[in-house]
Amino acid sequence: MIKVGNRRTRNTFIRLPWSLYKDDPMWVPPLLFERNTHLSPENPYFEHAACCFWIAYRNEKPVGRISAQIDRLYLDRHRDDTGFWGMLEAEDNIETFQILLNTAENWLRGQGMARARGPFSLSINQECGVLVAGFNTPPSIMMGHARPYYRSHIEECGYGKTIDLLAYIIDANFSHSAAMQMIIKRAKSRVQTRTLRKSQFQEDMNIIQSIFNDAWSENWGFVPFTQKEFEHLAKDLKLLIDEKLVSIAEVNGAPAAFMVLIPNINEVIRDFNGRLLPFGWLKLLWRLKVKYPETARIPLMGVLRKYQESPLGAMLAYRVIDDLQEPTVNRGIKKVELSWILEDNIGMRNIIENIGGSVYKTYRIYSKNL
């Protein structure tokens, strides 16, 4: 095991999945510049978290990697002495998984943690969970991929399921049920919607952050986005965000709900092999302009908590969904992924299933007492 401590070892850490997934047609190589930014001091996550990264070698060849992290915002909120691991990639060998997880656990134990939980790469507001169902399709943008053996090896290392995160798929041109039509009709007198204002991009992103942090605050494992984290995310997504594919709903002129849909660029970057330079940026922009992806993902959605248990909550949710359907179809998008959804978020699951959504991928979070 080698601890990541310089640019050379960080590059090895980032590039390790290429050797593990070279014969997996479903794997999409991540963009190297994005992975480097994710692990660099520029990531505002590190302002409230301590992290360590390791690479496992066999016969001088890198065969696995893992991170361990302690999130002070999480501990301040939940006070349960839980530390996290993530970025897990490894060969199909139980000994490699044991060495990686033991290393992360020992570091967490040394930091005073009583429980290890993962995978989180690096936080709950980023890529998390290990794929345990739905291996026959590529991952959507900002979602993970794994081979089936990850599940069994993690469980052999003493981990048990904590919760599942669900990815739903739905036809973009779904039919409105009679009940949905009635709810939307009633909502139009009480709920106003608008698109994102590119000229006031940061102001609208602040509104979305505020609603998100309120809407998700009682959900399992919640950690709020900091201002810097959300600005960092918005900067990453700005190139991809189409103002017509963002809906903000208002009640009496006050923001109350939102939905953000982004094109699934994994469709168009698979042959980039992780590289945007020297001509990848031009290819990406050209492909987004000439042949828009046929799939998209909704990574961010929220309804203010004060409305969630009321009829107005359903009105707000259905209204933003309805608001985005026409521009989504007009873009040529055929399928939309809604992810991730906590398995115990019955209200949201009912809304998605009522418009024809079905679970097509499952990601699992595991825990183990130290």
Side-chain angles (χ1 to χ4, degrees):
M1 291 287 288
I2 291 180
K3 184 178 178 180
V4 174
N6 54 40
R7 179 176 293 182
R8 180 180 61 81
T9 52
R10 189 172 77 178
N11 285 341
T12 300
F13 185 93
I14 289 171
R15 292 174 179 270
L16 189 141
W18 269 255
S19 61
L20 297 176
Y21 293 102
K22 60 185 177 182
D23 60 346
D24 186 340
M26 295 299 109
W27 182 65
V28 179
L31 295 175
L32 289 168
F33 94 93
E34 187 278 329
R35 291 290 82 188
N36 271 291
T37 300
H38 186 62
L39 297 182
S40 79
E42 297 175 30
N43 186 344
Y45 170 75
F46 295 119
E47 294 183 4
H48 57 84
C51 303
C52 205
F53 305 87
W54 298 271
I55 304 168
Y57 285 81
R58 183 185 301 279
N59 299 324
E60 300 184 353
K61 176 186 175 182
V63 293
R65 73 178 196 188
I66 198 168
S67 69
Q69 53 268 12
I70 295 173
D71 188 337
R72 291 185 294 276
L73 286 183
Y74 174 89
L75 292 175
D76 288 346
R77 187 177 188 90
H78 297 277
R79 301 186 181 280
D80 61 1
D81 294 330
T82 296
F84 305 98
W85 52 264
M87 309 292 292
L88 177 64
E89 299 287 3
E91 63 180 352
D92 186 5
N93 185 303
I94 182 59
E95 291 182 356
T96 304
F97 275 78
Q98 288 172 335
I99 290 170
L100 288 166
L101 288 165
N102 284 343
T103 300
E105 291 162 13
N106 287 337
W107 185 84
L108 292 172
R109 194 179 290 112
Q111 302 292 317
M113 297 297 101
R115 182 182 299 105
R117 181 174 292 159
F120 294 90
S121 304
L122 295 162
S123 83
I124 196 168
N125 293 324
Q126 298 164 351
E127 186 180 304
C128 51
V130 64
L131 185 69
V132 296
F135 301 97
N136 60 336
T137 54
S140 189
I141 179 174
M142 300 168 67
M143 295 294 284
H145 184 65
R147 292 186 183 273
Y149 64 78
Y150 278 55
R151 172 182 180 174
S152 58
H153 288 336
I154 291 171
E155 292 174 0
E156 287 178 67
C157 290
Y159 282 85
K161 171 189 167 181
T162 301
I163 198 165
D164 280 347
L165 315 176
L166 309 177
Y168 278 83
I169 196 75
I170 188 170
D171 289 331
N173 197 21
F174 64 86
S175 299
H176 292 57
S177 66
M180 182 178 178
Q181 291 177 31
M182 183 178 296
I183 291 172
I184 292 171
K185 184 177 180 180
R186 289 175 178 172
K188 287 185 176 178
S189 63
R190 302 188 63 186
V191 177
Q192 299 76 46
T193 60
R194 63 174 177 83
T195 59
L196 180 78
R197 301 168 298 184
K198 274 290 181 77
S199 61
Q200 296 169 275
F201 180 80
Q202 193 55 57
E203 181 181 337
D204 278 353
M205 294 308 291
N206 290 343
I207 289 171
I208 289 171
Q209 178 195 354
S210 177
I211 296 174
F212 180 91
N213 280 346
D214 176 82
W216 285 70
S217 60
E218 296 301 314
N219 284 2
W220 176 88
F222 172 75
V223 177
F225 273 107
T226 67
Q227 183 69 30
K228 287 185 179 180
E229 283 178 313
F230 210 79
E231 288 175 358
H232 186 76
L233 175 65
K235 180 181 177 182
D236 287 345
L237 295 180
K238 191 170 185 179
L239 176 67
L240 301 178
I241 288 179
D242 181 335
E243 62 266 32
K244 294 180 181 179
L245 298 180
V246 178
S247 178
I248 297 174
E250 299 175 342
V251 176
N252 298 324
F258 76 92
M259 178 179 280
V260 176
L261 185 146
I262 56 176
N264 178 24
I265 64 166
N266 280 3
E267 267 189 48
V268 299
I269 66 169
R270 294 184 72 177
D271 62 339
F272 287 14
N273 199 30
R275 298 183 179 277
L276 277 181
L277 298 174
F279 302 115
W281 274 114
L282 294 175
K283 285 183 181 179
L284 176 58
L285 292 172
W286 184 83
R287 290 177 182 180
L288 288 175
K289 185 176 180 63
V290 174
K291 191 180 188 315
Y292 209 71
E294 293 185 351
T295 58
R297 178 179 172 229
I298 295 173
L300 295 169
M301 179 183 179
V303 175
L304 287 177
R305 282 182 56 223
K306 65 181 181 180
Y307 298 124
Q308 288 178 7
E309 301 300 324
S310 70
L312 187 53
M315 289 183 186
L316 286 162
Y318 280 122
R319 186 68 200 277
V320 292
I321 291 170
D322 178 65
D323 209 39
L324 293 189
Q325 185 177 30
E326 183 176 345
T328 298
V329 172
N330 288 344
R331 272 295 198 179
I333 294 169
K334 293 182 170 58
K335 297 282 187 179
V336 177
E337 177 176 308
L338 297 93
S339 62
W340 44 260
I341 310 297
L342 288 166
E343 65 175 332
D344 62 1
N345 190 345
I346 304 303
M348 192 68 244
R349 293 185 64 183
N350 285 339
I351 288 173
I352 296 171
E353 290 168 13
N354 284 340
I355 59 175
S358 59
V359 175
Y360 86 119
K361 287 181 182 289
T362 302
Y363 297 83
R364 183 158 295 168
I365 301 294
Y366 287 94
S367 294
K368 176 182 178 181
N369 291 332
L370 298 178

